[in-house]
PDB file of all heavy atoms in Angstrom:
ATOM      1  N   ALA H  96     -23.695  53.902  -3.363  1.00 97.00           N
ATOM      2  CA  ALA H  96     -22.265  54.016  -3.678  1.00 97.00           C
ATOM      3  C   ALA H  96     -21.879  53.045  -4.787  1.00 97.00           C
ATOM      4  O   ALA H  96     -22.596  52.087  -5.087  1.00 97.00           O
ATOM      5  CB  ALA H  96     -21.433  53.719  -2.427  1.00 97.00           C
ATOM      6  N   ASP H 195       7.682  20.067  10.166  1.00 97.00           N
ATOM      7  CA  ASP H 195       8.211  20.096   8.800  1.00 97.00           C
ATOM      8  C   ASP H 195       7.667  21.246   7.977  1.00 97.00           C
ATOM      9  O   ASP H 195       8.325  21.719   7.050  1.00 97.00           O
ATOM     10  CB  ASP H 195       7.874  18.771   8.100  1.00 97.00           C
ATOM     11  CG  ASP H 195       8.410  17.579   8.878  1.00 97.00           C
ATOM     12  OD1 ASP H 195       9.640  17.462   8.988  1.00 97.00           O
ATOM     13  OD2 ASP H 195       7.588  16.796   9.395  1.00 97.00           O
ATOM     14  N   GLU H 332      29.586   7.600  23.051  1.00 75.00           N
ATOM     15  CA  GLU H 332      29.571   6.844  21.798  1.00 75.00           C
ATOM     16  C   GLU H 332      28.618   5.661  21.849  1.00 75.00           C
ATOM     17  O   GLU H 332      28.100   5.220  20.819  1.00 75.00           O
ATOM     18  CB  GLU H 332      30.986   6.388  21.442  1.00 75.00           C
ATOM     19  CG  GLU H 332      31.861   7.512  20.923  1.00 75.00           C
ATOM     20  CD  GLU H 332      33.081   7.001  20.178  1.00 75.00           C
ATOM     21  OE1 GLU H 332      33.178   5.762  19.998  1.00 75.00           O
ATOM     22  OE2 GLU H 332      33.916   7.829  19.774  1.00 75.00           O
TER      23      GLU H 332
END
Side-chain angles (χ1 to χ4, degrees):
D195 304 295
E332 286 198 5

